């Protein structure tokens, strides 16, 4: 008797599609930017006021840093903005969401948003704030390791030191790498978490985990989107923060459309669903 014929062949299971991967072309990121611009132009006054508020607060914070001689916060705060930016843009997500429903949004409705996951959204904000503060402490530690325990000399002295000495270049490179990692991590866990919590009942840890999963499984298009965000952020800095008045609202609206394109399933629960 042929024993080989009696044993059934082992057939490997067919690969199952990844529900988190959308296989979007890289040019989709430009489509998100265009959709954000269209939302900005539709009833533009609330979006402009929102951007003006972001500009005014940012300018006031920068002025306060230099006025009270804590300008050593400035450079770490730049990468920290990538961590807190998705949270600050919540009102812009709300406008885009209401435009989808054919509703008109006023500025008050954007400034005083009530997410579906109200208390968990507050908890998410606290977690992102903690991450931002952690990066600040790491930046101070990097400075102390390179320059010693001494007061920050000010930008007029530190900039030549950074670009003309090997210690300065070491600080610049390590600070950029570590700050970039903090910014990338903060961006990944928050870029879709806040839009998700705006319309779904979920908890902060689940939202952050799903956001990171969506970013990782759509990495190519999200890298392009992150590059667009960073590029426009640099443009805003080069305009003395005035670019925030238009650029920040457009990016906020565009992020909502990115969320809509990538987040196709709803209702995942990992920890608990708040009442």
């Amino acid at each position: 008797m042929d024993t080989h014929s009696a044993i059934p062949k082992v057939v490997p299971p067919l690969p199952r599609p990844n529900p988190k991967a959308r296989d979007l072309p890289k040019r989709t990121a430009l489509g998100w930017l265009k959709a954000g611009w269209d939302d900005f132009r539709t009833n533009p006054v609330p979006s402009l006021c929102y951007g003006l508020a972001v500009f005014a607060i940012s300018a006031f914070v920068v002025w306060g840093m230099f006025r009270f001689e804590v300008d050593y916060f400035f450079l770490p705060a730049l990468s920290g903005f990538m961590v807190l930016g998705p949270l600050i843009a919540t009102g812009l997500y709300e406008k885009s969401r209401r435009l989808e429903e054919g509703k008109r949004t006023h500025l008050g409705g954007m400034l005083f948003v009530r997410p579906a996951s109200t208390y968990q959204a507050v908890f998410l904000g606290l977690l992102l704030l903690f991450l931002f503060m952690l990066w600040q402490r790491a930046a101070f530690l990097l400075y102390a390791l390179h320059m010693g325990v001494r007061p920050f000399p000010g930008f007029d002295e530190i900039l030549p030191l950074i670009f003309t000495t090997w210690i300065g270049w070491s600080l610049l490179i390590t600070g950029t790498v570590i700050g970039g990692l903090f910014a990338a991590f903060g961006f990944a866990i928050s870029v879709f978490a806040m839009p998700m919590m705006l319309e779904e009942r979920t908890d902060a840890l689940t939202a952050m985990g799903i956001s990171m999963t969506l970013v990782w499984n759509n990495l190519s298009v999200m890298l392009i989107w992150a590059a667009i965000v960073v590029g426009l952020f640099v443009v805003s800095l080069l305009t003395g923060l005035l670019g925030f008045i238009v650029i920040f609202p457009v990016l906020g609206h565009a992020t909502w459309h990115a969320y809509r394109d990538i987040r196709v399933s709803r209702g995942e629960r990992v920890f608990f669903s708040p009442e």
Side-chain angles (χ1 to χ4, degrees):
M1 179 179 178
D2 188 1
T3 57
H4 294 285
S5 62
I7 302 175
K9 293 183 178 180
V10 178
V11 180
L14 294 175
R16 291 186 295 179
N18 184 352
K20 298 292 192 302
R22 299 281 288 121
D23 297 322
L24 297 171
K26 295 178 181 179
R27 65 178 180 274
T28 306
L30 294 176
W32 298 336
L33 192 63
K34 181 181 181 302
W37 174 248
D38 291 340
D39 283 0
F40 175 82
R41 292 192 304 161
T42 304
N43 187 20
V45 174
S47 295
L48 272 172
C49 291
Y50 204 99
L52 185 62
V54 171
F55 159 73
I57 293 172
S58 301
F60 177 76
V61 170
V62 172
W63 172 84
M65 288 181 186
F66 287 90
R67 171 66 177 82
F68 296 102
E69 298 181 352
V70 289
D71 45 345
Y72 47 83
F73 278 112
F74 180 71
L75 292 178
L78 295 182
S79 57
F81 194 86
M82 292 289 289
V83 176
L84 298 178
L87 179 66
I88 301 171
T90 303
L92 300 166
Y93 309 148
E94 174 67 8
K95 178 186 172 182
S96 293
R97 184 183 70 84
R98 292 179 65 87
L99 285 176
E100 288 179 356
E101 299 172 353
K103 300 177 181 178
R104 189 177 178 88
T105 304
H106 52 83
L107 182 61
M110 295 170 63
L111 294 177
F112 302 100
V113 182
R114 182 178 176 83
S117 304
T118 308
Y119 300 110
Q120 289 295 310
V122 174
F123 182 50
L124 173 63
L126 292 175
L127 290 176
L128 294 177
L129 183 60
F130 173 76
L131 180 63
F132 175 72
M133 293 173 63
L134 183 63
W135 161 231
Q136 294 287 331
R137 302 312 303 173
F140 296 156
L141 179 60
L142 280 175
Y143 175 82
L145 289 173
H146 285 83
M147 302 297 180
V149 183
R150 58 177 179 174
F152 186 74
F155 278 95
D156 55 339
E157 295 184 27
I158 197 65
L159 290 179
L161 186 64
I162 286 178
F163 291 107
T164 59
T165 65
W166 70 268
I167 294 179
W169 277 105
S170 175
L171 175 60
L172 179 65
I173 293 171
T174 55
T176 300
V177 170
I178 296 176
L181 290 175
F182 270 94
F185 178 72
F187 177 80
I189 65 175
S190 64
V191 63
F192 296 138
M194 202 60 223
M196 188 187 315
M197 301 185 82
L198 185 63
E199 64 171 1
E200 297 183 42
R201 286 184 174 274
T202 186
D203 60 276
L205 298 181
T206 294
M208 290 190 296
I210 292 175
S211 178
M212 177 169 282
T213 301
L214 292 174
V215 170
W216 180 255
N217 285 279
N218 300 275
L219 192 58
S220 58
V221 68
M222 289 307 298
L223 285 175
I224 299 299
W225 178 240
I228 291 173
V229 171
V230 172
L232 291 178
F233 178 66
V234 171
V235 171
S236 298
L237 293 179
L238 295 177
T239 59
L241 304 181
L242 285 170
F244 276 147
I245 299 174
V246 173
I247 289 175
F248 190 85
V250 171
L251 289 178
H253 294 313
T255 299
W256 177 261
H257 290 279
Y259 165 72
R260 275 288 187 245
D261 276 354
I262 290 180
R263 171 83 165 152
V264 294
S265 59
R266 302 288 189 271
E268 291 98 328
R269 295 291 180 262
V270 177
F271 295 100
F272 66 90
S273 178
E275 296 297 332

